[in-house]
Amino acid sequence: MAQKPSIPKGTRDFNSETVAKRNYIFDTIKKQFQVYGFQPIETPSFENSETLMGKYGDEGDRLIFKILNSGEYLKKISDEDYAERSETKLTPKISEKALRYDLTVPFARYVVQHQNEIEFPFKRYQIQPVWRADRPQKGRFREFYQCDADVVGSTSLFQEVEFIQLYDAVFSALQLKGATLKINNRKILSGIAEVIGAQDKLIDFTVALDKLDKIGEEKVKEEMLSKGIPDNGIAKLQPLFELSGSFGAQIESLKSILITSEIGLKGIEELEFINTAISQLELKSAILQLDVTLARGLNYYTGAIFEVSAPDGVKMGSIGGGGRYDDLTGIFGLQNMSGVGISFGLDRIYLVLEELNLFPESVLENTKVLFLNFGEQEALYSLKAVSQLREQSINAELFPDLITSGKQMKKQMNYANKRNIPFVVVIGDEELKSKVYSLKDMSSGEQITVSLQELQEKLS
Amino acid sequence: MAQKPSIPKGTRDFNSETVAKRNYIFDTIKKQFQVYGFQPIETPSFENSETLMGKYGDEGDRLIFKILNSGEYLKKISDEDYAERSETKLTPKISEKALRYDLTVPFARYVVQHQNEIEFPFKRYQIQPVWRADRPQKGRFREFYQCDADVVGSTSLFQEVEFIQLYDAVFSALQLKGATLKINNRKILSGIAEVIGAQDKLIDFTVALDKLDKIGEEKVKEEMLSKGIPDNGIAKLQPLFELSGSFGAQIESLKSILITSEIGLKGIEELEFINTAISQLELKSAILQLDVTLARGLNYYTGAIFEVSAPDGVKMGSIGGGGRYDDLTGIFGLQNMSGVGISFGLDRIYLVLEELNLFPESVLENTKVLFLNFGEQEALYSLKAVSQLREQSINAELFPDLITSGKQMKKQMNYANKRNIPFVVVIGDEELKSKVYSLKDMSSGEQITVSLQELQEKLS
């Protein structure tokens, strides 16, 4: 019985046009990763469950795709355990492998496992799919690519500077002007929490602060109050709500708030270093902006925090992000390995380029010339020319089926049209005899008769 | 507690050197796929289980990696079923998705699902990983890439001709000379079985014949006899064991065997067509060879069968294979869609290139120049030059940490050495003042002082 074919929800088939556009983005990112001295690594699609579980919080654990053990997987379970009929109990026994949830944890695992073969600081990039059992929705998929670049083994702030340049370089190469690179520092968030007496409420505090854009100053204050942050502490935040002007001006305001916090001032110092360097190096198309409300996976980052917004006018969540984490490899037993990294959101960048019409036309170029097929002898004569063209790296095709009717002829012309093939070659008795080729330009309709040499030149 | 990091058996981490070499092969294959007019598609890593199950035989079903349903996956099971404690019963209820086992079945599903958007004949290529819960061994992995090109929607034998050329083009581009492209035709196997009265024992017959190389003529005959193939039938095979000489000469011998079999003669006609065309078009580096013992997934192919052997002297199983199948999409409800395709075995081609030392040195080029880091001011001055170089697509790095001791200096030089970075730039007070750069050639040890302009020229 024929099955009605479909694919699992949250997954996608990509046709050749989409693959070509996606590869354009991948190739552009990859090129810049290499220009910046990053080296590629790849890790397996699935890891041992214990490598992944417990690294992304309870919600993450739930969203990890688990792979069923092969063979008689029920044998390992005691009668008692089986009788309990509990997923929590059963899952770790019947599933020992799981699909990669992100590229960061596998990278940490890789660094620890291969530490003796690696030259530190280790600048690696990784472009691979990840899988999450999330509820699919617009722009959110169960299989999607991450494009990450990280450095581990150096605490130098020049890394942060270079990552900002790298973002700028990629967006410039993609002709995407006006992306905003928002930067913050975890130490500044800690400092503010300290100053307002909310050290123990850092998460509540940042969750509330993060909503400033959406709900406004008053509501943010209310939320903080409701979370038990003292009134006089909140009052000290006033300058934070009035932050404006240049990066430098905002830094000055922040200083006045954080004057009593050692860690806060350290965060300011780091931001100033980065901003000074970037001012001197200059960005080509992106804008660097301080955003003290930026938190992003707070428990994870220890220094700089990055997030990238699409250019004004394009409605889209963040198209990239990253930051510094001081103890990523600690979970796998390698201490004191500071790292910093950034990520590009492929799917969203795709949507932005589509919306702004920024994919170059050349991306969709595929076959340059189609040879129509008027008979076995003609086809063989054509294939010789096709072979020559291909050796010159000219994408060429012979239509495989013979033209035996006007309908077939129309079909082959139609094929060229639908595939956006710009040229068609027609070989009849005349051409065979004189060893020439009739070349038709599909857009102008113009037809000329040329030698093989001329054909090559025309199509190069 | 720190976990000792490891990866699941049968999977691999790839370091940057290996990724670069693998990408060299992928890119070479992809380039030729495009030159031949194939278009890329991609399908999801996991499919609905019913798409895959039952398509690869019982053994295949066992080797498919199944993904555990998310959430309360035990709820769907009746108490009765649960009490049975049977994997066969449980698996389809707790797992509704499975990892791709090959690229062919997902491709068939794709064609049927998207038939209204596709221009036929549809020439597609697909380069993606597949997963099999096979016992890992040398050269056999649980995650590995397949590189497939297929055409569906045409019965023209010119496709077979072009696939032979495509194999030749890829191996030529890889500088791999002397690969043997073995070809057979399912119709010839059917014809032989018919002639010797073993139509109903086609598989026994071909399994025995397939062993000719390994066990020799007598043992093959014994095996056939033991499987119930009649003595007088086996006697008719004699010319088959004596096949030798050119493709054409072997074809003539085959004709004498198959004279009474309509399907056998049809197979010969097809082979002759292909051989004639290839003789005229000429191969550049591969050798086309008739091999009537070639069977490969017999139940699947209906016409041509291909298999590629590495050049003589390299011990390696087949490095590629393929053939024509007349009803691939039938399982998904689309009848009469003839297809033909080939596959490249990435992992084995990698091993062959490694053994024959055929990877070009340029494949391993990464960073061209490292700027040592003698202080903040020097680093900023360096980063300006680094940025300029990067804009010229020259891969450049600044060592992130400051040199504060002779040991640090040595570490940075060491980093350049280990990373195979051919040039190092040193910036001291002098260079800063005169706005120049001291460029050291790491292989010759030679050091020259240059302007930024000269630096760019030198490194381009």
Side-chain angles (χ1 to χ4, degrees):
Chain A
M1 273 296 290
Q3 303 167 340
K4 194 178 156 230
S6 66
I7 53 177
K9 64 177 176 177
T11 68
R12 294 166 286 174
D13 280 333
F14 296 116
N15 67 17
S16 61
E17 184 181 323
T18 311
V19 172
K21 287 177 174 175
R22 286 166 62 89
N23 283 346
Y24 164 71
I25 302 174
F26 285 134
D27 291 344
T28 304
I29 294 174
K30 205 188 283 186
K31 174 72 192 301
Q32 293 303 324
F33 282 173
Q34 287 167 355
V35 159
Y36 274 73
F38 290 86
Q39 305 175 275
I41 69 161
E42 289 179 12
T43 62
S45 295
F46 47 74
E47 297 271 350
N48 292 320
S49 296
E50 65 261 30
T51 300
L52 304 185
M53 299 298 283
K55 308 302 189 296
Y56 308 98
D58 290 346
E59 173 75 355
D61 279 357
R62 263 197 336 100
L63 299 184
I64 289 174
F65 278 112
K66 286 118 194 144
I67 294 173
L68 196 58
N69 290 348
S70 301
E72 298 177 319
Y73 56 82
L74 293 175
K75 279 213 167 157
K76 281 193 183 174
I77 305 161
S78 70
D79 290 347
E80 254 180 348
D81 282 351
Y82 190 78
E84 251 188 73
R85 203 173 164 156
S86 135
E87 286 91 3
T88 324
K89 196 138 234 170
L90 220 55
T91 303
K93 299 215 159 87
I94 65 174
S95 160
E96 284 154 12
K97 290 182 286 293
L99 288 175
R100 187 166 55 210
Y101 181 84
D102 73 357
L103 301 179
T104 309
V105 168
F107 171 54
R109 195 263 311 142
Y110 180 97
V111 169
V112 178
Q113 193 172 331
H114 302 279
Q115 53 186 292
N116 297 326
E117 309 143 34
I118 292 173
E119 283 310 303
F120 293 99
F122 183 43
K123 300 175 75 166
R124 88 86 172 80
Y125 75 85
Q126 197 170 350
I127 299 180
Q128 293 193 280
V130 302
W131 296 268
R132 296 181 184 181
D134 231 332
R135 188 183 302 273
Q137 57 183 51
K138 193 168 179 295
R140 192 204 278 163
F141 304 99
R142 294 188 147 189
E143 172 174 46
F144 59 98
Y145 268 77
Q146 291 193 333
C147 313
D148 284 15
D150 292 79
V151 193
V152 286
S154 165
T155 55
S156 165
L157 289 171
F158 281 114
Q159 308 285 19
E160 277 83 343
V161 172
E162 287 201 64
F163 276 121
I164 291 168
Q165 288 188 294
L166 176 53
Y167 266 135
D168 184 51
V170 167
F171 295 135
S172 299
L174 292 172
Q175 310 292 337
L176 183 65
K177 295 188 179 69
T180 306
L181 311 180
K182 294 188 284 188
I183 184 170
N184 193 13
N185 194 300
R186 158 71 190 254
K187 297 183 175 102
I188 286 179
L189 291 171
S190 300
I192 299 174
E194 197 179 301
V195 164
I196 65 169
Q199 293 98 309
D200 56 336
K201 299 197 175 66
L202 186 57
I203 290 177
D204 288 338
F205 160 72
T206 47
V207 164
L209 191 60
D210 192 39
K211 296 181 185 162
L212 186 58
D213 269 3
K214 285 168 221 131
I215 61 176
E217 183 182 326
E218 286 315 311
K219 297 264 184 199
V220 167
K221 287 178 180 169
E222 277 171 32
E223 181 168 327
M224 287 183 181
L225 205 59
S226 79
K227 295 287 181 185
I229 296 173
D231 214 18
N232 62 343
I234 295 173
K236 288 187 191 149
L237 284 178
Q238 203 51 43
L240 209 62
F241 297 124
E242 284 156 13
L243 276 186
S244 69
S246 68
F247 200 113
Q250 291 190 48
I251 285 281
E252 289 310 313
S253 310
L254 267 183
K255 268 188 197 164
S256 69
I257 306 176
L258 294 171
I259 192 79
T260 59
S261 164
E262 194 185 332
I263 190 165
L265 291 175
K266 178 81 185 117
I268 285 183
E269 192 189 313
E270 291 185 13
L271 278 179
E272 276 187 311
F273 178 92
I274 293 165
N275 187 45
T276 305
I278 290 295
S279 308
Q280 290 195 42
L281 294 164
E282 291 175 4
L283 299 181
K284 283 176 292 174
S285 61
I287 303 142
L288 183 65
Q289 199 173 78
L290 178 61
D291 180 356
V292 290
T293 68
L294 190 62
R296 279 185 73 87
L298 186 73
N299 293 314
Y300 188 76
Y301 294 121
T302 51
I305 304 170
F306 301 114
E307 194 167 277
V308 187
S309 302
D312 283 347
V314 183
K315 269 188 193 147
M316 189 69 61
S318 72
I319 59 174
R324 182 175 285 276
Y325 37 85
D326 274 336
D327 191 28
L328 183 74
T329 57
I331 41 173
F332 299 113
L334 185 63
Q335 310 297 332
N336 300 319
M337 189 58 89
S338 185
V340 51
I342 62 171
S343 188
F344 288 84
L346 188 271
D347 288 303
R348 286 182 175 173
I349 292 174
Y350 184 101
L351 293 172
V352 171
L353 296 191
E354 198 75 286
E355 184 169 336
L356 298 176
N357 208 8
L358 289 177
F359 284 109
E361 272 188 37
S362 60
V363 163
L364 296 184
E365 270 173 22
N366 47 69
T367 292
K368 196 80 176 263
V369 59
L370 175 75
F371 284 64
L372 303 192
N373 189 338
F374 286 95
E376 260 180 38
Q377 239 200 309
E378 290 85 349
L380 206 52
Y381 174 78
S382 296
L383 260 191
K384 285 180 191 167
V386 164
S387 304
Q388 289 286 330
L389 294 174
R390 286 171 176 167
E391 284 206 38
Q392 308 301 315
S393 293
I394 297 164
N395 302 2
E397 284 182 55
L398 165 70
F399 198 95
D401 300 315
L402 303 188
I403 293 179
T404 50
S405 64
K407 200 178 146 198
Q408 254 292 341
M409 170 85 186
K410 214 174 151 188
K411 185 185 163 191
Q412 299 198 8
M413 292 299 280
N414 210 26
Y415 176 86
N417 265 323
K418 288 272 179 65
R419 287 274 316 274
N420 283 315
I421 300 176
F423 293 98
V424 153
V425 169
V426 177
I427 308 286
D429 287 349
E430 271 310 303
E431 284 84 359
L432 256 184
K433 219 180 293 167
S434 334
K435 296 199 189 266
V436 290
Y437 304 84
S438 288
L439 178 69
K440 182 173 178 161
D441 183 323
M442 292 294 281
S443 60
S444 71
E446 196 195 352
Q447 187 160 327
I448 52 173
T449 304
V450 291
S451 69
L452 181 52
Q453 180 65 28
E454 289 164 332
L455 187 63
Q456 275 184 35
E457 282 159 16
K458 191 86 188 155
L459 295 172
S460 293
Chain B
M1 273 298 288
Q3 303 169 341
K4 192 176 159 235
S6 66
I7 53 176
K9 65 176 177 178
T11 68
R12 294 167 286 175
D13 280 332
F14 296 116
N15 66 17
S16 61
E17 185 181 321
T18 311
V19 172
K21 287 177 174 174
R22 287 165 62 88
N23 283 346
Y24 164 70
I25 303 174
F26 285 134
D27 291 344
T28 305
I29 294 174
K30 205 188 284 187
K31 173 73 192 299
Q32 293 304 323
F33 282 173
Q34 285 167 356
V35 160
Y36 274 73
F38 290 87
Q39 305 175 276
I41 69 160
E42 289 179 11
T43 62
S45 294
F46 47 75
E47 295 272 350
N48 292 320
S49 296
E50 66 260 30
T51 300
L52 305 185
M53 298 299 283
K55 308 301 190 297
Y56 308 99
D58 290 346
E59 173 75 354
D61 279 357
R62 262 195 340 99
L63 299 183
I64 290 173
F65 278 113
K66 287 115 192 149
I67 295 174
L68 196 58
N69 291 347
S70 302
E72 299 177 317
Y73 55 83
L74 293 176
K75 279 213 168 158
K76 279 193 185 172
I77 305 161
S78 70
D79 290 346
E80 254 180 348
D81 283 351
Y82 191 77
E84 251 189 73
R85 204 173 162 155
S86 136
E87 285 91 3
T88 325
K89 196 139 235 170
L90 219 55
T91 303
K93 298 214 159 88
I94 65 174
S95 160
E96 283 154 11
K97 289 181 287 292
L99 288 175
R100 187 165 57 210
Y101 180 84
D102 73 357
L103 301 179
T104 309
V105 169
F107 170 54
R109 194 264 310 142
Y110 180 98
V111 169
V112 177
Q113 192 173 331
H114 302 280
Q115 53 186 290
N116 296 326
E117 308 143 34
I118 292 173
E119 281 311 303
F120 292 98
F122 182 41
K123 299 176 76 168
R124 89 84 171 81
Y125 76 85
Q126 197 170 350
I127 299 181
Q128 292 193 278
V130 303
W131 296 268
R132 296 182 185 180
D134 230 330
R135 189 183 301 274
Q137 58 183 51
K138 193 169 181 296
R140 194 205 276 163
F141 305 98
R142 292 187 149 190
E143 173 175 45
F144 58 98
Y145 268 78
Q146 290 193 333
C147 313
D148 285 14
D150 292 79
V151 193
V152 286
S154 164
T155 56
S156 165
L157 289 170
F158 281 115
Q159 308 285 17
E160 277 83 342
V161 172
E162 287 201 61
F163 276 121
I164 291 167
Q165 289 187 294
L166 176 54
Y167 266 134
D168 184 52
V170 167
F171 295 134
S172 298
L174 291 172
Q175 309 293 336
L176 183 66
K177 295 188 178 70
T180 305
L181 311 179
K182 294 188 284 188
I183 185 171
N184 194 12
N185 194 301
R186 158 73 191 252
K187 297 185 176 101
I188 286 180
L189 291 170
S190 299
I192 299 173
E194 197 179 301
V195 165
I196 66 170
Q199 295 98 307
D200 55 338
K201 299 197 175 65
L202 186 56
I203 289 176
D204 288 337
F205 161 71
T206 48
V207 164
L209 191 61
D210 193 37
K211 296 181 186 163
L212 186 58
D213 270 0
K214 284 168 223 136
I215 61 176
E217 182 181 329
E218 287 314 311
K219 298 264 184 199
V220 167
K221 287 178 180 169
E222 277 171 32
E223 181 168 326
M224 288 183 180
L225 206 58
S226 78
K227 295 288 180 184
I229 296 173
D231 213 20
N232 62 343
I234 295 173
K236 288 188 192 150
L237 284 178
Q238 204 50 43
L240 208 62
F241 296 121
E242 285 155 14
L243 275 187
S244 69
S246 67
F247 200 113
Q250 291 190 49
I251 285 280
E252 289 310 313
S253 309
L254 267 182
K255 268 187 196 164
S256 71
I257 305 175
L258 294 172
I259 192 81
T260 60
S261 163
E262 192 184 334
I263 189 165
L265 291 175
K266 178 83 183 113
I268 285 182
E269 191 189 314
E270 291 185 13
L271 278 178
E272 276 188 312
F273 178 92
I274 294 166
N275 186 45
T276 305
I278 290 296
S279 309
Q280 291 195 42
L281 294 164
E282 291 175 6
L283 299 182
K284 284 176 291 174
S285 60
I287 303 143
L288 184 65
Q289 198 173 78
L290 178 61
D291 181 357
V292 289
T293 68
L294 189 63
R296 281 183 72 86
L298 186 73
N299 293 315
Y300 188 77
Y301 295 121
T302 50
I305 304 171
F306 302 114
E307 194 167 277
V308 187
S309 302
D312 282 347
V314 183
K315 270 187 190 146
M316 189 68 62
S318 72
I319 58 175
R324 181 174 287 275
Y325 36 86
D326 274 338
D327 191 29
L328 183 75
T329 57
I331 43 173
F332 298 113
L334 185 63
Q335 310 296 333
N336 299 320
M337 190 58 90
S338 184
V340 51
I342 63 171
S343 189
F344 289 84
L346 187 271
D347 288 302
R348 287 183 174 173
I349 292 174
Y350 184 102
L351 292 172
V352 172
L353 296 190
E354 197 75 287
E355 184 169 336
L356 298 176
N357 209 9
L358 290 177
F359 284 110
E361 272 188 37
S362 61
V363 163
L364 296 183
E365 270 172 22
N366 46 70
T367 292
K368 195 80 177 262
V369 58
L370 176 74
F371 284 64
L372 303 192
N373 189 337
F374 288 95
E376 260 181 38
Q377 238 198 311
E378 290 85 349
L380 207 52
Y381 175 78
S382 296
L383 260 191
K384 284 178 192 168
V386 165
S387 303
Q388 289 285 330
L389 295 174
R390 286 171 175 167
E391 284 206 36
Q392 308 301 315
S393 292
I394 297 164
N395 302 3
E397 283 183 55
L398 165 69
F399 199 97
D401 299 315
L402 302 188
I403 293 178
T404 51
S405 65
K407 201 179 144 197
Q408 255 291 341
M409 169 84 185
K410 215 174 147 189
K411 186 185 163 191
Q412 299 198 7
M413 292 299 279
N414 211 26
Y415 175 87
N417 265 323
K418 288 272 180 64
R419 287 274 315 275
N420 284 315
I421 300 175
F423 294 99
V424 153
V425 169
V426 176
I427 308 286
D429 287 349
E430 271 310 305
E431 285 84 359
L432 256 184
K433 220 181 292 167
S434 332
K435 297 200 188 264
V436 290
Y437 304 83
S438 288
L439 178 69
K440 183 173 177 162
D441 184 322
M442 291 295 280
S443 60
S444 70
E446 195 194 353
Q447 188 162 326
I448 52 174
T449 304
V450 292
S451 69
L452 181 52
Q453 179 66 30
E454 289 163 334
L455 186 64
Q456 276 184 33
E457 282 160 15
K458 190 86 188 153
L459 296 172
S460 294

PDB file of all heavy atoms in Angstrom, chain B residues 313-330:
ATOM      1  N   GLY B 313      46.291  -2.149  -6.261  1.00  0.00           N
ATOM      2  CA  GLY B 313      47.333  -1.958  -5.258  1.00  0.00           C
ATOM      3  C   GLY B 313      46.821  -1.331  -3.974  1.00  0.00           C
ATOM      4  O   GLY B 313      47.467  -1.403  -2.940  1.00  0.00           O
ATOM      5  N   VAL B 314      45.638  -0.712  -4.051  1.00  0.00           N
ATOM      6  CA  VAL B 314      45.051  -0.153  -2.829  1.00  0.00           C
ATOM      7  C   VAL B 314      43.988  -1.126  -2.330  1.00  0.00           C
ATOM      8  O   VAL B 314      43.017  -1.405  -3.023  1.00  0.00           O
ATOM      9  CB  VAL B 314      44.390   1.215  -3.088  1.00  0.00           C
ATOM     10  CG1 VAL B 314      43.850   1.801  -1.799  1.00  0.00           C
ATOM     11  CG2 VAL B 314      45.370   2.173  -3.736  1.00  0.00           C
ATOM     12  N   LYS B 315      44.208  -1.669  -1.153  1.00  0.00           N
ATOM     13  CA  LYS B 315      43.246  -2.624  -0.609  1.00  0.00           C
ATOM     14  C   LYS B 315      42.083  -1.878   0.018  1.00  0.00           C
ATOM     15  O   LYS B 315      42.230  -1.237   1.052  1.00  0.00           O
ATOM     16  CB  LYS B 315      43.920  -3.515   0.435  1.00  0.00           C
ATOM     17  CG  LYS B 315      44.513  -4.767  -0.190  1.00  0.00           C
ATOM     18  CD  LYS B 315      45.021  -5.724   0.866  1.00  0.00           C
ATOM     19  CE  LYS B 315      45.814  -6.832   0.207  1.00  0.00           C
ATOM     20  NZ  LYS B 315      46.919  -7.286   1.039  1.00  0.00           N
ATOM     21  N   MET B 316      40.958  -1.963  -0.612  1.00  0.00           N
ATOM     22  CA  MET B 316      39.813  -1.191  -0.132  1.00  0.00           C
ATOM     23  C   MET B 316      38.578  -1.778  -0.783  1.00  0.00           C
ATOM     24  O   MET B 316      38.621  -2.170  -1.941  1.00  0.00           O
ATOM     25  CB  MET B 316      40.003   0.274  -0.578  1.00  0.00           C
ATOM     26  CG  MET B 316      39.044   1.265   0.006  1.00  0.00           C
ATOM     27  SD  MET B 316      39.254   1.532   1.771  1.00  0.00           S
ATOM     28  CE  MET B 316      40.934   2.185   1.827  1.00  0.00           C
ATOM     29  N   GLY B 317      37.484  -1.849  -0.042  1.00  0.00           N
ATOM     30  CA  GLY B 317      36.225  -2.276  -0.660  1.00  0.00           C
ATOM     31  C   GLY B 317      35.810  -1.262  -1.706  1.00  0.00           C
ATOM     32  O   GLY B 317      36.581  -0.372  -2.061  1.00  0.00           O
ATOM     33  N   SER B 318      34.576  -1.354  -2.169  1.00  0.00           N
ATOM     34  CA  SER B 318      34.130  -0.437  -3.226  1.00  0.00           C
ATOM     35  C   SER B 318      34.079   0.995  -2.694  1.00  0.00           C
ATOM     36  O   SER B 318      33.727   1.234  -1.543  1.00  0.00           O
ATOM     37  CB  SER B 318      32.755  -0.859  -3.737  1.00  0.00           C
ATOM     38  OG  SER B 318      31.768  -0.579  -2.775  1.00  0.00           O
ATOM     39  N   ILE B 319      34.456   1.947  -3.526  1.00  0.00           N
ATOM     40  CA  ILE B 319      34.450   3.354  -3.132  1.00  0.00           C
ATOM     41  C   ILE B 319      33.258   4.106  -3.731  1.00  0.00           C
ATOM     42  O   ILE B 319      33.162   5.323  -3.619  1.00  0.00           O
ATOM     43  CB  ILE B 319      35.776   4.062  -3.495  1.00  0.00           C
ATOM     44  CG1 ILE B 319      36.054   3.961  -5.005  1.00  0.00           C
ATOM     45  CG2 ILE B 319      36.938   3.445  -2.720  1.00  0.00           C
ATOM     46  CD1 ILE B 319      37.297   4.754  -5.435  1.00  0.00           C
ATOM     47  N   GLY B 320      32.365   3.347  -4.364  1.00  0.00           N
ATOM     48  CA  GLY B 320      31.177   3.967  -4.925  1.00  0.00           C
ATOM     49  C   GLY B 320      30.319   2.908  -5.579  1.00  0.00           C
ATOM     50  O   GLY B 320      30.773   1.789  -5.828  1.00  0.00           O
ATOM     51  N   GLY B 321      29.062   3.243  -5.839  1.00  0.00           N
ATOM     52  CA  GLY B 321      28.200   2.280  -6.499  1.00  0.00           C
ATOM     53  C   GLY B 321      26.868   2.912  -6.838  1.00  0.00           C
ATOM     54  O   GLY B 321      26.584   4.043  -6.439  1.00  0.00           O
ATOM     55  N   GLY B 322      26.066   2.164  -7.596  1.00  0.00           N
ATOM     56  CA  GLY B 322      24.765   2.697  -7.954  1.00  0.00           C
ATOM     57  C   GLY B 322      24.086   1.830  -8.987  1.00  0.00           C
ATOM     58  O   GLY B 322      24.489   0.692  -9.209  1.00  0.00           O
ATOM     59  N   GLY B 323      23.076   2.386  -9.625  1.00  0.00           N
ATOM     60  CA  GLY B 323      22.373   1.623 -10.641  1.00  0.00           C
ATOM     61  C   GLY B 323      21.022   2.221 -10.971  1.00  0.00           C
ATOM     62  O   GLY B 323      20.681   3.298 -10.477  1.00  0.00           O
ATOM     63  N   ARG B 324      20.288   1.489 -11.825  1.00  0.00           N
ATOM     64  CA  ARG B 324      18.955   1.964 -12.208  1.00  0.00           C
ATOM     65  C   ARG B 324      17.875   1.162 -11.482  1.00  0.00           C
ATOM     66  O   ARG B 324      17.996  -0.052 -11.335  1.00  0.00           O
ATOM     67  CB  ARG B 324      18.753   1.849 -13.720  1.00  0.00           C
ATOM     68  CG  ARG B 324      17.373   2.357 -14.170  1.00  0.00           C
ATOM     69  CD  ARG B 324      17.199   2.394 -15.665  1.00  0.00           C
ATOM     70  NE  ARG B 324      17.922   3.462 -16.324  1.00  0.00           N
ATOM     71  CZ  ARG B 324      17.461   4.718 -16.462  1.00  0.00           C
ATOM     72  NH1 ARG B 324      16.286   5.062 -15.964  1.00  0.00           N
ATOM     73  NH2 ARG B 324      18.181   5.617 -17.094  1.00  0.00           N
ATOM     74  N   TYR B 325      16.879   1.886 -11.011  1.00  0.00           N
ATOM     75  CA  TYR B 325      15.748   1.261 -10.322  1.00  0.00           C
ATOM     76  C   TYR B 325      14.487   1.813 -10.967  1.00  0.00           C
ATOM     77  O   TYR B 325      14.339   3.015 -11.157  1.00  0.00           O
ATOM     78  CB  TYR B 325      15.773   1.595  -8.833  1.00  0.00           C
ATOM     79  CG  TYR B 325      16.259   2.989  -8.529  1.00  0.00           C
ATOM     80  CD1 TYR B 325      15.378   4.060  -8.532  1.00  0.00           C
ATOM     81  CD2 TYR B 325      17.604   3.247  -8.270  1.00  0.00           C
ATOM     82  CE1 TYR B 325      15.810   5.343  -8.283  1.00  0.00           C
ATOM     83  CE2 TYR B 325      18.051   4.542  -8.030  1.00  0.00           C
ATOM     84  CZ  TYR B 325      17.157   5.584  -8.031  1.00  0.00           C
ATOM     85  OH  TYR B 325      17.590   6.864  -7.802  1.00  0.00           O
ATOM     86  N   ASP B 326      13.592   0.918 -11.340  1.00  0.00           N
ATOM     87  CA  ASP B 326      12.459   1.387 -12.130  1.00  0.00           C
ATOM     88  C   ASP B 326      11.249   1.800 -11.323  1.00  0.00           C
ATOM     89  O   ASP B 326      10.342   2.435 -11.843  1.00  0.00           O
ATOM     90  CB  ASP B 326      12.057   0.331 -13.165  1.00  0.00           C
ATOM     91  CG  ASP B 326      12.865   0.471 -14.436  1.00  0.00           C
ATOM     92  OD1 ASP B 326      13.385   1.579 -14.673  1.00  0.00           O
ATOM     93  OD2 ASP B 326      13.009  -0.516 -15.166  1.00  0.00           O
ATOM     94  N   ASP B 327      11.234   1.467 -10.053  1.00  0.00           N
ATOM     95  CA  ASP B 327      10.015   1.806  -9.324  1.00  0.00           C
ATOM     96  C   ASP B 327      10.300   2.244  -7.891  1.00  0.00           C
ATOM     97  O   ASP B 327       9.660   1.805  -6.951  1.00  0.00           O
ATOM     98  CB  ASP B 327       9.045   0.624  -9.326  1.00  0.00           C
ATOM     99  CG  ASP B 327       7.678   1.053  -8.810  1.00  0.00           C
ATOM    100  OD1 ASP B 327       7.334   2.238  -8.985  1.00  0.00           O
ATOM    101  OD2 ASP B 327       6.982   0.221  -8.216  1.00  0.00           O
ATOM    102  N   LEU B 328      11.236   3.140  -7.727  1.00  0.00           N
ATOM    103  CA  LEU B 328      11.607   3.561  -6.389  1.00  0.00           C
ATOM    104  C   LEU B 328      10.479   4.298  -5.683  1.00  0.00           C
ATOM    105  O   LEU B 328      10.220   4.091  -4.501  1.00  0.00           O
ATOM    106  CB  LEU B 328      12.831   4.478  -6.454  1.00  0.00           C
ATOM    107  CG  LEU B 328      13.308   4.899  -5.080  1.00  0.00           C
ATOM    108  CD1 LEU B 328      14.030   3.772  -4.384  1.00  0.00           C
ATOM    109  CD2 LEU B 328      14.195   6.114  -5.172  1.00  0.00           C
ATOM    110  N   THR B 329       9.805   5.175  -6.414  1.00  0.00           N
ATOM    111  CA  THR B 329       8.798   6.011  -5.764  1.00  0.00           C
ATOM    112  C   THR B 329       7.461   5.292  -5.620  1.00  0.00           C
ATOM    113  O   THR B 329       6.544   5.825  -5.005  1.00  0.00           O
ATOM    114  CB  THR B 329       8.594   7.326  -6.541  1.00  0.00           C
ATOM    115  OG1 THR B 329       8.236   7.001  -7.888  1.00  0.00           O
ATOM    116  CG2 THR B 329       9.873   8.155  -6.550  1.00  0.00           C
ATOM    117  N   GLY B 330       7.377   4.088  -6.177  1.00  0.00           N
ATOM    118  CA  GLY B 330       6.141   3.321  -6.088  1.00  0.00           C
ATOM    119  C   GLY B 330       5.697   3.099  -4.650  1.00  0.00           C
ATOM    120  O   GLY B 330       4.500   3.170  -4.343  1.00  0.00           O
TER     121      GLY B 330
END
